[in-house]
């Protein structure tokens, strides 16, 4: 289940270190035809070459059957008016269809059909993806390995992440997907709209602007350690987009290239910040953390400036940021952060 944990963590994913294919053996010939895109490609959009961590992929013409990997690429594709034929199953924070409310709402606006949901719990589902007969596989926000990339490249053109797995910003993902789909002008518009939603949230909650935070993942199953997200993770990135700042101690101890780190609970008192944010399985967890002789020394816990988020869907909107999920997170998650900043 290691893969599942990391997937969730990176996507927004589950507790820090927290099918799938539906089992179908049908081929694309048996699948419904892709929904006609609601947008058009830019003039002279193709051919286009997109560079990524495993090289450069040249796309000759407008893709018509797109499969996405990772926990936000499907959102990005849909935000550009293209409905993927296959997408990763959202197993943490998702609904019964393996999807999310923001994806479903956008899909309904396009009168589109749900893509085939594919589990990545055991790695890239290469065979299931091949059955969908894609002409483009987008994995800009995924954690695929180079070996998986090579296998997938035998199925279709593949665009992987730009640098490190599970660490792509929503802005970079949008830019890469926009290029791959020949919709860079629309991608610019979508970015502007998304940034506007962040600015509106900051204006609605001025109490969070300038406040320092630690975003961690505590668990009652092992209270001897503190897993924390570094400034390179998408959760802190989005909070800093909102005007908040990483706690100085996090800036100091975070390793370059890592999206999370682990600290002994014996150093809990070092985590000075204006607010402490963590995941929790239930409302009872916060009391357990606070009463613990070590974790209870976390300054945010001691002072009551803490958010222990128990709603996976609300949390996913922040941890798998995309043009579709960010407005949702601004509406659902940021008010909770603002309350925590003010203290209980």
């Amino acid at each position: 289940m290691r893969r599942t944990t990391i997937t969730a963590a990176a996507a927004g994913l589950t507790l820090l270190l927290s099918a799938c294919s539906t089992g179908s053996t049908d081929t694309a010939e048996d699948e419904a035809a892709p929904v006609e895109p609601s947008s058009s490609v830019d003039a002279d959009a193709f051919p286009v070459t997109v560079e990524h961590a495993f090289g450069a992929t040249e796309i000759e013409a407008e893709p018509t059957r797109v499969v996405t990997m990772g926990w936000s690429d499907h959102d990005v594709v849909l935000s550009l008016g293209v409905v993927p034929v296959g997408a990763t199953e959202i197993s943490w924070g998702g609904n019964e269809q393996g999807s999310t409310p923001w994806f479903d709402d956008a899909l309904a606006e396009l009168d589109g059909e749900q893509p085939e949901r594919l589990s990545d719990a055991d790695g890239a589902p290469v065979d299931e993806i091949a059955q969908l007969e894609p002409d483009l596989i987008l994995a800009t926000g995924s954690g695929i390995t180079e070996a998986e990339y090579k296998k997938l490249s035998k199925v279709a053109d593949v665009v992987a992440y730009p640098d490190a797995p599970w660490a792509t910003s929503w802005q970079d993902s949008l830019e890469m997907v926009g290029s791959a789909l020949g919709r860079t002008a629309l991608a610019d518009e979508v970015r502007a709209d998304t940034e506007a939603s962040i600015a509106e949230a900051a204006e609605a909650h001025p109490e969070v602007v300038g406040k320092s935070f630690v975003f961690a993942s505590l668990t009652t199953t092992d209270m001897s350690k503190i897993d924390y997200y570094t400034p390179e993770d998408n959760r802190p990135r989005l909070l800093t987009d909102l005007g908040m700042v990483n706690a100085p101690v996090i800036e100091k101890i975070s390793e370059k290239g890592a999206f999370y780190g682990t600290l002994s609970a014996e150093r809990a008192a070092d985590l000075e910040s204006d607010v402490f944010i963590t995941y929790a399985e239930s409302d009872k967890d916060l009391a357990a953390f606070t009463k613990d002789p070590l974790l209870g020394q976390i300054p945010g816990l001691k002072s009551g400036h803490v958010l222990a988020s128990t709603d996976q869907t609300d949390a996913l909107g922040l941890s798998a940021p995309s043009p579709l999920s960010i407005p949702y997170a601004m509406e659902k998650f940021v008010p909770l952060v603002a309350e925590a900043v003010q203290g209980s």
Side-chain angles (χ1 to χ4, degrees):
M1 298 303 291
R2 170 74 173 174
R3 176 68 178 218
T4 299
T5 298
I6 294 297
T7 298
L13 310 179
T14 154
L15 312 181
L16 177 52
L17 299 182
S18 63
C20 30
S21 102
T22 57
S24 171
T25 57
D26 295 338
T27 66
E29 295 179 353
D30 302 313
E31 302 291 340
V35 175
E36 191 72 18
S38 66
S39 59
S40 302
V41 300
D42 302 329
D44 302 322
F46 298 100
V48 63
T49 300
V50 184
E51 296 184 351
H52 51 82
F54 301 129
T57 298
E58 181 173 317
I59 303 166
E60 296 288 346
E62 181 182 4
T64 59
R65 294 187 64 83
V66 178
V67 169
T68 64
M69 301 186 67
W71 286 48
S72 58
D73 277 66
H74 50 282
D75 284 355
V76 180
V77 169
L78 193 61
S79 75
L80 298 177
V82 177
V83 180
V85 297
T88 299
E89 177 192 39
I90 306 304
S91 57
W92 190 89
N95 55 32
E96 293 181 351
Q97 292 180 300
S99 183
T100 57
W102 48 89
F103 183 90
D104 292 350
D105 287 347
L107 188 65
E109 290 181 5
L110 298 181
D111 196 24
E113 297 289 334
Q114 277 287 346
E116 185 84 356
R117 289 289 175 174
L118 309 171
S119 173
D120 63 355
D122 296 318
V126 178
D127 292 342
E128 289 84 352
I129 289 174
Q131 289 172 6
L132 295 175
E133 298 185 0
D135 52 11
L136 178 63
I137 300 170
L138 292 170
T140 66
S142 78
I144 62 171
T145 65
E146 185 169 8
E148 290 172 334
Y149 169 77
K150 290 179 179 178
K151 290 180 181 178
L152 291 167
S153 294
K154 294 178 180 178
V155 175
D157 291 332
V158 183
V159 176
Y161 41 83
D163 299 306
W166 304 122
T168 308
S169 69
W170 69 268
Q171 296 95 332
D172 285 345
S173 181
L174 178 59
E175 181 178 354
M176 295 174 76
V177 172
S179 295
L181 297 180
R183 290 167 169 81
T184 56
L186 179 56
D188 289 342
E189 294 178 17
V190 169
R191 175 170 178 160
D193 289 344
T194 307
E195 290 174 339
S197 74
I198 298 172
E200 289 172 2
E203 184 175 355
H205 299 285
E207 61 271 36
V208 307
V209 177
K211 299 299 183 182
S212 63
F213 68 90
V214 173
F215 204 138
S217 181
L218 303 182
T219 174
T220 56
T221 60
D222 184 356
M223 294 198 282
S224 69
K225 65 183 179 70
I226 301 167
D227 293 321
Y228 61 90
Y229 296 103
T230 76
E232 296 185 39
D233 179 76
N234 277 321
R235 277 152 283 223
R237 281 175 176 161
L238 194 52
L239 291 179
T240 56
D241 286 346
L242 193 64
M244 300 183 74
V245 296
N246 284 283
V249 62
I250 295 298
E251 295 276 8
K252 181 178 180 180
I253 64 177
S254 296
E255 295 184 9
K256 186 175 178 55
F259 72 84
Y260 74 91
T262 300
L263 201 65
S264 168
E266 294 179 350
R267 294 188 58 188
D270 294 343
L271 296 177
E272 285 283 357
S273 64
D274 291 319
V275 62
F276 182 82
I277 304 169
T278 183
Y279 296 115
E281 292 297 317
S282 73
D283 292 336
K284 296 180 180 178
D285 287 3
L286 179 57
F289 299 148
T290 304
K291 292 178 181 178
D292 182 78
L294 293 179
L295 294 183
Q297 299 306 308
I298 294 173
L301 285 176
K302 293 185 70 174
S303 65
H305 294 278
V306 57
L307 167 59
S309 174
T310 57
D311 190 309
Q312 294 182 352
T313 302
D314 287 356
L316 181 63
L318 188 82
S319 55
S322 74
L324 300 185
S325 70
I326 288 174
Y328 187 95
M330 294 299 104
E331 177 185 353
K332 301 289 187 180
F333 196 84
V334 172
L336 302 178
V337 176
E339 289 179 8
V341 166
Q342 294 174 315
S344 58

